[in-house]
Amino acid sequence: MDIILALITALLIITGAVFTFAAAVGLNRLPDLYARMHAASKAGTVGSALMLIAVGIHAADLAILARSFAGFLFFVLTAPVSAHLLAKAAHESGYPLSDISVQDEMRRRQEQV
Amino acid sequence: MTAQAITQSAVHFGLVVLSVAFLLTVWRVIRGPTLPDRVIALDMLVGIVMGFIALIAIRTGYTLYIDIAISLGLVGFLATVALARFILSRKRREGEDGSPPEPLPERPDATVEQPATPESIPVASEAPEPVPAGTATPVAAPAATARPSPSKSEVTKASAAKVKIAKAKARGKAAGADQTASASAAAAAPAKPKPPRKPAAKPAAKPAAKKETP
Amino acid sequence: MTTYVFNVIFAVIWVAITGSATLLNLVFGFFLASLALWIVRGEMGGPGYWRRVNRIISLVLLFLKELARSAFRVAVLVLSPRLVVKPGIFAFPLTVERDFEITLLANLITLTPGTLSVDVSEDCKTLYVHALDCSDPEAARRDIAEGFERKILEAFR
């Protein structure tokens, strides 16, 4: 039983670390800030959230598991909101998309207004 | 015991990978051409640090760390929201992302603002004034040597006058001479990085020198 | 909608009062709260509470599944040696109307593979979505409309 628990914890830790690493690499490789937001808000969030759950499972205590799940939910729910707000703020204050972008229908709307 | 060994090795692996991710993100914070890039990277740093805290919690067995991680996440979220509001209110600046800045209409403002400094300097104190005059002379001299001959004599004359003014002030002159000295020093100081403005600055320095010689 | 909020609030109050913050106690408090709300259902809201709970649970499961998928996709994309992205912003016409549903949809879109909601138009009719692969915006629009939006409408209407 202990072994299984440890294996699950180890799996969660490693997956989370790899996701976080992928997010950090994406932050450096992707062309513009909107694309970077994808990496940070998805892979990064999942990485940290998985590690929080790993703590709960490792402790094998319902109270701690509940708390780590609460942290997980909180983090997963707030990350998209902050990414969304940041993208909106950046777009409204005029940071352009990178040159390789295909289209920008939002820009078109702003020009009409 | 083996269970603990599995967990500990996983934690070690995770710590190493997270450290690399942390450094990569810090690199983005340092380099990130625009402000939103840096904000994203900082947001990401909060996430990575939460991962660190979780791993430390597993390693040491102090599950109280979870609460710290949750509150850090809360603070990070609020910080990101606040920074987003800031970005929204600040608007983008030209040339921030490394693109060549367009000729700005703010240039006249900068030239208008500079005359404000001579007034502010004498009010502040008298003691530091010889220092800018003294430092201005050696910097102005190489700039003069780099340039063709006609201006060279003028600049050296002006710098010599400034040294004289500084000496006179060290002896303890009247307040009127004090102000002209500081005005000439301050007018000459902003002139040295911009060669085109030098001729405009020197007439200001020369009358001061003439006034000083008798 | 307020019924659910009350339910969660009552559950949290139950946990706070009993003083043991375990998951089991929270679930128990949730059941107690829903029982209490069921007793006063005549005053509170419409029928079909439990039927909708099923759908909400399925929505949460879909959310978690999509989150895992999207994180995986982004990780694969980023770690692949050649970075092939065609980013762009496309407009998505909204069918859902209420603020809560729009918020939920925007969050879900952010957590789907390759898309990130950027802004909502003033009249709440259009959602602007940034996509990492914007070569076929029509397909992306159809995916969102038939996936999340339909689920949300099922769960909350």
Side-chain angles (χ1 to χ4, degrees), chain C residues 70-110:
Chain C
S70 75
F72 186 71
R73 281 269 299 275
V74 169
V76 167
L77 177 89
V78 159
L79 294 179
S80 64
R82 279 189 63 241
L83 199 64
V84 185
V85 287
K86 287 181 191 158
I89 292 181
F90 66 87
F92 174 74
L94 284 170
T95 317
V96 292
E97 287 155 2
R98 282 182 281 174
D99 285 350
F100 169 76
E101 292 165 348
I102 294 175
T103 312
L104 192 63
L105 182 66
N107 268 11
L108 286 175
I109 285 173
T110 299

mmCIF file of all heavy atoms in Angstrom, chain C residues 70-110:
data_model
loop_
_atom_site.group_PDB
_atom_site.id
_atom_site.type_symbol
_atom_site.label_atom_id
_atom_site.label_comp_id
_atom_site.label_asym_id
_atom_site.label_seq_id
_atom_site.Cartn_x
_atom_site.Cartn_y
_atom_site.Cartn_z
ATOM 1 N N SER C 70 -4.979 19.768 -22.782
ATOM 2 C CA SER C 70 -4.389 20.988 -23.310
ATOM 3 C C SER C 70 -2.976 21.165 -22.782
ATOM 4 O O SER C 70 -2.071 21.549 -23.524
ATOM 5 C CB SER C 70 -5.243 22.185 -22.936
ATOM 6 O OG SER C 70 -5.064 22.513 -21.584
ATOM 7 N N ALA C 71 -2.766 20.855 -21.500
ATOM 8 C CA ALA C 71 -1.417 20.973 -20.961
ATOM 9 C C ALA C 71 -0.477 20.035 -21.699
ATOM 10 O O ALA C 71 0.650 20.390 -22.043
ATOM 11 C CB ALA C 71 -1.428 20.651 -19.473
ATOM 12 N N PHE C 72 -0.986 18.835 -21.985
ATOM 13 C CA PHE C 72 -0.155 17.866 -22.694
ATOM 14 C C PHE C 72 0.183 18.361 -24.097
ATOM 15 O O PHE C 72 1.335 18.306 -24.532
ATOM 16 C CB PHE C 72 -0.909 16.539 -22.751
ATOM 17 C CG PHE C 72 -0.105 15.423 -23.321
ATOM 18 C CD1 PHE C 72 0.949 14.889 -22.599
ATOM 19 C CD2 PHE C 72 -0.373 14.923 -24.581
ATOM 20 C CE1 PHE C 72 1.701 13.868 -23.125
ATOM 21 C CE2 PHE C 72 0.377 13.903 -25.112
ATOM 22 C CZ PHE C 72 1.417 13.373 -24.375
ATOM 23 N N ARG C 73 -0.832 18.878 -24.781
ATOM 24 C CA ARG C 73 -0.599 19.378 -26.148
ATOM 25 C C ARG C 73 0.425 20.506 -26.171
ATOM 26 O O ARG C 73 1.316 20.535 -27.020
ATOM 27 C CB ARG C 73 -1.916 19.857 -26.750
ATOM 28 C CG ARG C 73 -2.787 18.758 -27.262
ATOM 29 C CD ARG C 73 -2.512 18.469 -28.735
ATOM 30 N NE ARG C 73 -2.780 19.626 -29.564
ATOM 31 C CZ ARG C 73 -3.963 19.949 -30.041
ATOM 32 N NH1 ARG C 73 -4.989 19.192 -29.765
ATOM 33 N NH2 ARG C 73 -4.111 20.998 -30.802
ATOM 34 N N VAL C 74 0.261 21.444 -25.220
ATOM 35 C CA VAL C 74 1.199 22.563 -25.195
ATOM 36 C C VAL C 74 2.606 22.066 -24.886
ATOM 37 O O VAL C 74 3.580 22.500 -25.514
ATOM 38 C CB VAL C 74 0.742 23.609 -24.155
ATOM 39 C CG1 VAL C 74 1.841 24.626 -23.921
ATOM 40 C CG2 VAL C 74 -0.497 24.301 -24.620
ATOM 41 N N ALA C 75 2.708 21.128 -23.954
ATOM 42 C CA ALA C 75 4.028 20.610 -23.600
ATOM 43 C C ALA C 75 4.675 19.935 -24.803
ATOM 44 O O ALA C 75 5.850 20.161 -25.108
ATOM 45 C CB ALA C 75 3.900 19.629 -22.442
ATOM 46 N N VAL C 76 3.896 19.123 -25.526
ATOM 47 C CA VAL C 76 4.445 18.441 -26.701
ATOM 48 C C VAL C 76 4.866 19.452 -27.758
ATOM 49 O O VAL C 76 5.948 19.378 -28.333
ATOM 50 C CB VAL C 76 3.410 17.443 -27.264
ATOM 51 C CG1 VAL C 76 3.821 16.977 -28.644
ATOM 52 C CG2 VAL C 76 3.258 16.277 -26.337
ATOM 53 N N LEU C 77 3.999 20.436 -27.964
ATOM 54 C CA LEU C 77 4.288 21.451 -28.986
ATOM 55 C C LEU C 77 5.577 22.184 -28.672
ATOM 56 O O LEU C 77 6.410 22.437 -29.535
ATOM 57 C CB LEU C 77 3.122 22.433 -29.039
ATOM 58 C CG LEU C 77 3.310 23.601 -30.003
ATOM 59 C CD1 LEU C 77 2.797 23.219 -31.358
ATOM 60 C CD2 LEU C 77 2.609 24.834 -29.510
ATOM 61 N N VAL C 78 5.734 22.517 -27.394
ATOM 62 C CA VAL C 78 6.871 23.344 -27.005
ATOM 63 C C VAL C 78 8.161 22.547 -27.024
ATOM 64 O O VAL C 78 9.214 23.053 -27.404
ATOM 65 C CB VAL C 78 6.588 23.925 -25.605
ATOM 66 C CG1 VAL C 78 7.865 24.335 -24.938
ATOM 67 C CG2 VAL C 78 5.668 25.102 -25.720
ATOM 68 N N LEU C 79 8.062 21.288 -26.638
ATOM 69 C CA LEU C 79 9.284 20.490 -26.553
ATOM 70 C C LEU C 79 9.670 19.864 -27.880
ATOM 71 O O LEU C 79 10.750 19.293 -27.992
ATOM 72 C CB LEU C 79 9.113 19.388 -25.498
ATOM 73 C CG LEU C 79 8.970 19.913 -24.066
ATOM 74 C CD1 LEU C 79 8.783 18.756 -23.101
ATOM 75 C CD2 LEU C 79 10.173 20.729 -23.663
ATOM 76 N N SER C 80 8.798 19.966 -28.901
ATOM 77 C CA SER C 80 9.171 19.419 -30.195
ATOM 78 C C SER C 80 10.260 20.298 -30.812
ATOM 79 O O SER C 80 10.276 21.515 -30.615
ATOM 80 C CB SER C 80 7.954 19.363 -31.110
ATOM 81 O OG SER C 80 7.492 20.665 -31.362
ATOM 82 N N PRO C 81 11.166 19.672 -31.542
ATOM 83 C CA PRO C 81 12.326 20.431 -32.020
ATOM 84 C C PRO C 81 11.962 21.581 -32.950
ATOM 85 O O PRO C 81 12.574 22.639 -32.898
ATOM 86 C CB PRO C 81 13.158 19.385 -32.750
ATOM 87 C CG PRO C 81 12.264 18.215 -32.945
ATOM 88 C CD PRO C 81 11.250 18.255 -31.872
ATOM 89 N N ARG C 82 10.965 21.373 -33.819
ATOM 90 C CA ARG C 82 10.584 22.473 -34.702
ATOM 91 C C ARG C 82 9.281 23.069 -34.227
ATOM 92 O O ARG C 82 8.283 22.379 -34.074
ATOM 93 C CB ARG C 82 10.467 21.987 -36.150
ATOM 94 C CG ARG C 82 11.820 21.896 -36.822
ATOM 95 C CD ARG C 82 11.698 21.623 -38.307
ATOM 96 N NE ARG C 82 11.010 22.700 -38.998
ATOM 97 C CZ ARG C 82 9.868 22.520 -39.662
ATOM 98 N NH1 ARG C 82 9.293 21.355 -39.688
ATOM 99 N NH2 ARG C 82 9.312 23.535 -40.287
ATOM 100 N N LEU C 83 9.306 24.352 -34.001
ATOM 101 C CA LEU C 83 8.148 25.037 -33.442
ATOM 102 C C LEU C 83 7.259 25.511 -34.582
ATOM 103 O O LEU C 83 7.616 26.414 -35.321
ATOM 104 C CB LEU C 83 8.628 26.221 -32.611
ATOM 105 C CG LEU C 83 7.659 26.807 -31.597
ATOM 106 C CD1 LEU C 83 7.356 25.782 -30.527
ATOM 107 C CD2 LEU C 83 8.272 28.030 -30.974
ATOM 108 N N VAL C 84 6.099 24.843 -34.754
ATOM 109 C CA VAL C 84 5.200 25.243 -35.836
ATOM 110 C C VAL C 84 3.958 25.856 -35.222
ATOM 111 O O VAL C 84 3.089 25.159 -34.709
ATOM 112 C CB VAL C 84 4.812 24.027 -36.697
ATOM 113 C CG1 VAL C 84 3.993 24.484 -37.882
ATOM 114 C CG2 VAL C 84 6.043 23.294 -37.154
ATOM 115 N N VAL C 85 3.875 27.160 -35.213
ATOM 116 C CA VAL C 85 2.672 27.812 -34.715
ATOM 117 C C VAL C 85 2.221 28.850 -35.725
ATOM 118 O O VAL C 85 3.021 29.468 -36.422
ATOM 119 C CB VAL C 85 2.910 28.503 -33.354
ATOM 120 C CG1 VAL C 85 3.033 27.473 -32.263
ATOM 121 C CG2 VAL C 85 4.120 29.384 -33.390
ATOM 122 N N LYS C 86 0.902 28.986 -35.805
ATOM 123 C CA LYS C 86 0.309 30.055 -36.620
ATOM 124 C C LYS C 86 -0.658 30.804 -35.732
ATOM 125 O O LYS C 86 -1.865 30.621 -35.826
ATOM 126 C CB LYS C 86 -0.438 29.454 -37.818
ATOM 127 C CG LYS C 86 0.467 28.912 -38.895
ATOM 128 C CD LYS C 86 -0.404 28.385 -40.020
ATOM 129 C CE LYS C 86 0.432 27.593 -41.008
ATOM 130 N NZ LYS C 86 -0.429 26.670 -41.759
ATOM 131 N N PRO C 87 -0.162 31.616 -34.840
ATOM 132 C CA PRO C 87 -1.068 32.248 -33.875
ATOM 133 C C PRO C 87 -1.947 33.289 -34.517
ATOM 134 O O PRO C 87 -1.619 33.855 -35.565
ATOM 135 C CB PRO C 87 -0.113 32.876 -32.864
ATOM 136 C CG PRO C 87 1.149 33.080 -33.593
ATOM 137 C CD PRO C 87 1.222 32.038 -34.653
ATOM 138 N N GLY C 88 -3.079 33.526 -33.882
ATOM 139 C CA GLY C 88 -3.997 34.529 -34.388
ATOM 140 C C GLY C 88 -5.184 34.665 -33.449
ATOM 141 O O GLY C 88 -5.382 33.831 -32.575
ATOM 142 N N ILE C 89 -5.936 35.733 -33.625
ATOM 143 C CA ILE C 89 -7.120 35.945 -32.795
ATOM 144 C C ILE C 89 -8.348 35.838 -33.680
ATOM 145 O O ILE C 89 -8.413 36.475 -34.736
ATOM 146 C CB ILE C 89 -7.074 37.326 -32.119
ATOM 147 C CG1 ILE C 89 -5.949 37.346 -31.093
ATOM 148 C CG2 ILE C 89 -8.391 37.637 -31.457
ATOM 149 C CD1 ILE C 89 -5.846 38.662 -30.359
ATOM 150 N N PHE C 90 -9.302 34.994 -33.281
ATOM 151 C CA PHE C 90 -10.539 34.924 -34.050
ATOM 152 C C PHE C 90 -11.717 35.271 -33.150
ATOM 153 O O PHE C 90 -11.626 35.183 -31.926
ATOM 154 C CB PHE C 90 -10.717 33.562 -34.720
ATOM 155 C CG PHE C 90 -10.910 32.412 -33.781
ATOM 156 C CD1 PHE C 90 -12.174 32.084 -33.329
ATOM 157 C CD2 PHE C 90 -9.828 31.648 -33.373
ATOM 158 C CE1 PHE C 90 -12.361 31.022 -32.469
ATOM 159 C CE2 PHE C 90 -10.007 30.581 -32.511
ATOM 160 C CZ PHE C 90 -11.274 30.265 -32.059
ATOM 161 N N ALA C 91 -12.790 35.703 -33.772
ATOM 162 C CA ALA C 91 -13.987 36.080 -33.023
ATOM 163 C C ALA C 91 -14.913 34.881 -32.946
ATOM 164 O O ALA C 91 -15.059 34.125 -33.902
ATOM 165 C CB ALA C 91 -14.684 37.241 -33.724
ATOM 166 N N PHE C 92 -15.515 34.703 -31.764
ATOM 167 C CA PHE C 92 -16.441 33.588 -31.583
ATOM 168 C C PHE C 92 -17.795 34.144 -31.174
ATOM 169 O O PHE C 92 -17.898 34.791 -30.128
ATOM 170 C CB PHE C 92 -15.898 32.636 -30.518
ATOM 171 C CG PHE C 92 -16.842 31.539 -30.159
ATOM 172 C CD1 PHE C 92 -17.046 30.485 -31.023
ATOM 173 C CD2 PHE C 92 -17.552 31.574 -28.967
ATOM 174 C CE1 PHE C 92 -17.924 29.482 -30.709
ATOM 175 C CE2 PHE C 92 -18.432 30.563 -28.648
ATOM 176 C CZ PHE C 92 -18.631 29.516 -29.512
ATOM 177 N N PRO C 93 -18.832 33.949 -31.977
ATOM 178 C CA PRO C 93 -20.156 34.463 -31.603
ATOM 179 C C PRO C 93 -20.761 33.653 -30.469
ATOM 180 O O PRO C 93 -20.842 32.431 -30.547
ATOM 181 C CB PRO C 93 -20.967 34.315 -32.896
ATOM 182 C CG PRO C 93 -20.286 33.244 -33.651
ATOM 183 C CD PRO C 93 -18.841 33.273 -33.286
ATOM 184 N N LEU C 94 -21.163 34.320 -29.412
ATOM 185 C CA LEU C 94 -21.651 33.629 -28.226
ATOM 186 C C LEU C 94 -23.132 33.315 -28.343
ATOM 187 O O LEU C 94 -23.911 34.127 -28.847
ATOM 188 C CB LEU C 94 -21.438 34.509 -26.997
ATOM 189 C CG LEU C 94 -20.024 34.607 -26.448
ATOM 190 C CD1 LEU C 94 -19.961 35.702 -25.411
ATOM 191 C CD2 LEU C 94 -19.629 33.293 -25.831
ATOM 192 N N THR C 95 -23.495 32.136 -27.889
ATOM 193 C CA THR C 95 -24.911 31.814 -27.755
ATOM 194 C C THR C 95 -25.351 31.989 -26.316
ATOM 195 O O THR C 95 -26.476 32.389 -26.046
ATOM 196 C CB THR C 95 -25.165 30.362 -28.202
ATOM 197 O OG1 THR C 95 -24.431 30.109 -29.385
ATOM 198 C CG2 THR C 95 -26.623 30.131 -28.447
ATOM 199 N N VAL C 96 -24.459 31.640 -25.382
ATOM 200 C CA VAL C 96 -24.805 31.812 -23.972
ATOM 201 C C VAL C 96 -24.901 33.311 -23.675
ATOM 202 O O VAL C 96 -24.218 34.125 -24.289
ATOM 203 C CB VAL C 96 -23.756 31.154 -23.058
ATOM 204 C CG1 VAL C 96 -23.815 29.665 -23.198
ATOM 205 C CG2 VAL C 96 -22.380 31.653 -23.362
ATOM 206 N N GLU C 97 -25.771 33.654 -22.741
ATOM 207 C CA GLU C 97 -26.039 35.070 -22.513
ATOM 208 C C GLU C 97 -25.654 35.544 -21.128
ATOM 209 O O GLU C 97 -25.157 36.649 -20.963
ATOM 210 C CB GLU C 97 -27.541 35.336 -22.722
ATOM 211 C CG GLU C 97 -27.929 35.292 -24.184
ATOM 212 C CD GLU C 97 -29.387 34.954 -24.334
ATOM 213 O OE1 GLU C 97 -30.082 34.795 -23.314
ATOM 214 O OE2 GLU C 97 -29.840 34.819 -25.494
ATOM 215 N N ARG C 98 -25.908 34.711 -20.126
ATOM 216 C CA ARG C 98 -25.710 35.217 -18.770
ATOM 217 C C ARG C 98 -24.224 35.369 -18.450
ATOM 218 O O ARG C 98 -23.378 34.628 -18.973
ATOM 219 C CB ARG C 98 -26.360 34.266 -17.764
ATOM 220 C CG ARG C 98 -27.862 34.472 -17.728
ATOM 221 C CD ARG C 98 -28.500 33.588 -16.707
ATOM 222 N NE ARG C 98 -28.642 32.221 -17.205
ATOM 223 C CZ ARG C 98 -29.068 31.211 -16.449
ATOM 224 N NH1 ARG C 98 -29.345 31.404 -15.191
ATOM 225 N NH2 ARG C 98 -29.188 30.011 -16.963
ATOM 226 N N ASP C 99 -23.933 36.319 -17.588
ATOM 227 C CA ASP C 99 -22.543 36.630 -17.250
ATOM 228 C C ASP C 99 -21.804 35.404 -16.716
ATOM 229 O O ASP C 99 -20.669 35.135 -17.093
ATOM 230 C CB ASP C 99 -22.503 37.738 -16.191
ATOM 231 C CG ASP C 99 -22.824 39.080 -16.786
ATOM 232 O OD1 ASP C 99 -22.878 39.141 -18.027
ATOM 233 O OD2 ASP C 99 -23.018 40.034 -16.030
ATOM 234 N N PHE C 100 -22.506 34.684 -15.854
ATOM 235 C CA PHE C 100 -21.857 33.523 -15.249
ATOM 236 C C PHE C 100 -21.459 32.508 -16.306
ATOM 237 O O PHE C 100 -20.346 31.972 -16.289
ATOM 238 C CB PHE C 100 -22.816 32.898 -14.230
ATOM 239 C CG PHE C 100 -22.366 31.566 -13.750
ATOM 240 C CD1 PHE C 100 -21.326 31.486 -12.836
ATOM 241 C CD2 PHE C 100 -22.958 30.402 -14.203
ATOM 242 C CE1 PHE C 100 -20.896 30.257 -12.400
ATOM 243 C CE2 PHE C 100 -22.532 29.174 -13.763
ATOM 244 C CZ PHE C 100 -21.496 29.101 -12.850
ATOM 245 N N GLU C 101 -22.356 32.293 -17.265
ATOM 246 C CA GLU C 101 -22.059 31.297 -18.295
ATOM 247 C C GLU C 101 -20.918 31.768 -19.193
ATOM 248 O O GLU C 101 -20.074 30.969 -19.600
ATOM 249 C CB GLU C 101 -23.312 31.039 -19.130
ATOM 250 C CG GLU C 101 -24.397 30.354 -18.344
ATOM 251 C CD GLU C 101 -25.732 30.425 -19.031
ATOM 252 O OE1 GLU C 101 -25.859 31.206 -20.007
ATOM 253 O OE2 GLU C 101 -26.636 29.723 -18.594
ATOM 254 N N ILE C 102 -20.909 33.066 -19.477
ATOM 255 C CA ILE C 102 -19.824 33.584 -20.318
ATOM 256 C C ILE C 102 -18.492 33.419 -19.606
ATOM 257 O O ILE C 102 -17.489 33.012 -20.204
ATOM 258 C CB ILE C 102 -20.089 35.062 -20.672
ATOM 259 C CG1 ILE C 102 -21.319 35.155 -21.564
ATOM 260 C CG2 ILE C 102 -18.891 35.657 -21.377
ATOM 261 C CD1 ILE C 102 -21.730 36.562 -21.865
ATOM 262 N N THR C 103 -18.485 33.722 -18.313
ATOM 263 C CA THR C 103 -17.255 33.555 -17.549
ATOM 264 C C THR C 103 -16.774 32.116 -17.595
ATOM 265 O O THR C 103 -15.591 31.835 -17.837
ATOM 266 C CB THR C 103 -17.499 33.954 -16.081
ATOM 267 O OG1 THR C 103 -18.165 35.195 -16.061
ATOM 268 C CG2 THR C 103 -16.216 34.032 -15.330
ATOM 269 N N LEU C 104 -17.727 31.210 -17.379
ATOM 270 C CA LEU C 104 -17.368 29.792 -17.374
ATOM 271 C C LEU C 104 -16.833 29.369 -18.732
ATOM 272 O O LEU C 104 -15.799 28.692 -18.830
ATOM 273 C CB LEU C 104 -18.606 28.977 -16.995
ATOM 274 C CG LEU C 104 -18.363 27.519 -16.660
ATOM 275 C CD1 LEU C 104 -17.485 27.434 -15.430
ATOM 276 C CD2 LEU C 104 -19.674 26.818 -16.420
ATOM 277 N N LEU C 105 -17.523 29.819 -19.785
ATOM 278 C CA LEU C 105 -17.085 29.439 -21.126
ATOM 279 C C LEU C 105 -15.701 30.007 -21.412
ATOM 280 O O LEU C 105 -14.844 29.320 -21.979
ATOM 281 C CB LEU C 105 -18.098 29.945 -22.161
ATOM 282 C CG LEU C 105 -17.775 29.555 -23.604
ATOM 283 C CD1 LEU C 105 -17.888 28.054 -23.755
ATOM 284 C CD2 LEU C 105 -18.685 30.238 -24.578
ATOM 285 N N ALA C 106 -15.472 31.248 -20.998
ATOM 286 C CA ALA C 106 -14.163 31.849 -21.254
ATOM 287 C C ALA C 106 -13.078 31.061 -20.537
ATOM 288 O O ALA C 106 -12.010 30.794 -21.091
ATOM 289 C CB ALA C 106 -14.161 33.302 -20.808
ATOM 290 N N ASN C 107 -13.345 30.676 -19.288
ATOM 291 C CA ASN C 107 -12.366 29.888 -18.551
ATOM 292 C C ASN C 107 -12.120 28.548 -19.219
ATOM 293 O O ASN C 107 -10.978 28.096 -19.330
ATOM 294 C CB ASN C 107 -12.865 29.650 -17.121
ATOM 295 C CG ASN C 107 -12.371 30.715 -16.181
ATOM 296 O OD1 ASN C 107 -11.835 31.713 -16.632
ATOM 297 N ND2 ASN C 107 -12.556 30.508 -14.914
ATOM 298 N N LEU C 108 -13.203 27.913 -19.668
ATOM 299 C CA LEU C 108 -13.041 26.605 -20.305
ATOM 300 C C LEU C 108 -12.253 26.740 -21.601
ATOM 301 O O LEU C 108 -11.401 25.904 -21.903
ATOM 302 C CB LEU C 108 -14.412 25.999 -20.598
ATOM 303 C CG LEU C 108 -15.151 25.469 -19.367
ATOM 304 C CD1 LEU C 108 -16.533 25.001 -19.755
ATOM 305 C CD2 LEU C 108 -14.392 24.319 -18.765
ATOM 306 N N ILE C 109 -12.520 27.806 -22.352
ATOM 307 C CA ILE C 109 -11.791 28.002 -23.606
ATOM 308 C C ILE C 109 -10.309 28.200 -23.324
ATOM 309 O O ILE C 109 -9.442 27.668 -24.016
ATOM 310 C CB ILE C 109 -12.371 29.203 -24.373
ATOM 311 C CG1 ILE C 109 -13.692 28.810 -25.012
ATOM 312 C CG2 ILE C 109 -11.409 29.677 -25.447
ATOM 313 C CD1 ILE C 109 -14.409 29.958 -25.637
ATOM 314 N N THR C 110 -10.023 28.950 -22.258
ATOM 315 C CA THR C 110 -8.619 29.153 -21.924
ATOM 316 C C THR C 110 -7.925 27.835 -21.634
ATOM 317 O O THR C 110 -6.749 27.680 -21.907
ATOM 318 C CB THR C 110 -8.523 30.078 -20.709
ATOM 319 O OG1 THR C 110 -9.119 31.307 -21.049
ATOM 320 C CG2 THR C 110 -7.097 30.322 -20.325
#
